[in-house]
Amino acid sequence: MTQFSANLGFLWTELALPDAIRAAHTAGFDAVECHWPYDNNAQDVKAALDETGLKMLGLNTRRGDVAQGENGLAALVGREVDARAAIDEALAYAVEIDAAAVHVMAGFSSGIDAHTTFIDNLSYACNAALPLGKTILVEPLNRHDAPGYFLQTTDQARTIIETVSRPNLKLMFDCYHIGRTEGDVATRAKTLLPFIGHIQFASVPDRGPPDNGELDYWFLFSALDALGWTAPLGAEYKPNGDTDATLGWLKTLR
């Protein structure tokens, strides 16, 4: 049976993170994940995870100066100190709440120097994460939602993963982002399976619940099941209102 993780960066955002974890458990999710949990006391988050029995699959590094439009630091030339501080912070928080992975956000940049900077920072992240038993994730963002983001395609991500060549560096395979700009999501999942560390989903193109839009998730989830994927799939969609009112898909697609 397909398992699902609630991405609490989008779902139940009106609740504090510990209460959102409890809401996800009540709704029947098998795991949770989040974006930037740092304003929440880690002990409170861990207590909610222990209470519900849910696993926190992952969290993101900080975006940087959000007021100035930053969306990640790891590919920004000249910001290596800040990028590595964000990596250290994310790994420390992941240890406190027993989260499995950290998504290292690249940020808005381009060019060979940005590529080299990203490689160096990812190598640092992987080396720091390995003795902690943590996975480092990278995620391409589509050009419609995040124009100018450094990491834009799965081909680019695969090249970077192969270049860094660390066993704990994996691809965050977001069906929504890939569906928006690359398409052929099921085939790409099959081809990239050895590189994938986590899978997320939302409808294309509106990023709403997965029971509408261009992608047939009944087909896609069945294809992933046939490939032997057993880890929870991350529901990272925008509910456009009350989260509980959008969860009809959970029973249908499971």
Side-chain angles (χ1 to χ4, degrees), residues 8-222:
L8 303 177
F10 283 163
L11 306 181
W12 293 289
T13 56
E14 74 280 6
L15 301 177
L17 184 55
D19 289 331
I21 292 168
R22 296 182 181 99
H25 177 257
T26 299
F29 280 93
D30 305 289
V32 291
E33 57 201 71
C34 61
H35 289 163
W36 304 283
Y38 307 106
D39 291 337
N40 296 271
N41 182 283
Q43 292 181 345
D44 294 339
V45 174
K46 184 62 165 62
L49 293 169
D50 291 343
E51 174 190 324
T52 60
L54 296 181
K55 175 75 174 178
M56 181 69 76
L57 299 186
L59 53 98
N60 296 346
T61 55
R62 286 191 191 267
R63 290 173 285 183
D65 190 340
V66 178
Q68 295 298 314
E70 290 186 334
N71 195 31
L73 299 168
L76 274 57
V77 179
R79 297 291 296 282
E80 291 84 355
V81 171
D82 294 333
R84 296 185 183 192
I87 290 165
D88 291 342
E89 177 189 37
L91 285 171
Y93 200 100
V95 168
E96 286 197 75
I97 65 171
D98 195 25
V102 167
H103 166 211
V104 173
M105 299 194 66
F108 296 119
S109 60
S110 62
I112 186 61
D113 289 341
H115 175 84
T116 300
T117 299
F118 196 38
I119 294 292
D120 289 345
N121 283 328
L122 288 176
S123 297
Y124 173 87
C126 290
N127 290 341
L130 191 60
L132 304 175
K134 306 302 180 187
T135 298
I136 298 298
L137 298 172
V138 293
E139 179 184 20
L141 304 185
N142 78 78
R143 64 180 180 272
H144 305 289
D145 292 355
Y149 194 76
F150 175 76
L151 192 57
Q152 297 187 359
T153 70
T154 53
D155 286 342
Q156 181 190 11
R158 177 174 179 169
T159 297
I160 287 169
I161 291 170
E162 291 177 329
T163 300
V164 175
S165 189
R166 298 293 197 281
N168 60 331
L169 180 59
K170 296 291 184 179
L171 171 66
M172 179 104 78
F173 187 95
D174 190 313
C175 301
Y176 164 74
H177 287 296
I178 295 165
R180 286 282 274 153
T181 55
E182 299 184 54
D184 203 9
V185 177
T187 299
R188 292 186 187 280
K190 181 178 181 180
T191 301
L192 292 166
L193 190 64
F195 300 91
I196 296 174
H198 184 46
I199 297 174
Q200 295 177 326
F201 62 89
S203 67
V204 176
D206 67 354
R207 207 171 193 178
D211 49 5
N212 66 87
E214 298 173 2
L215 274 179
D216 180 352
Y217 277 108
W218 177 267
F219 169 82
L220 184 57
F221 293 161
S222 296

Side-chain angles (χ1 to χ4, degrees), residues 225-241:
D225 184 63
L227 290 173
W229 186 268
T230 58
L233 304 170
E236 192 187 39
Y237 69 86
K238 297 180 179 179
N240 233 354

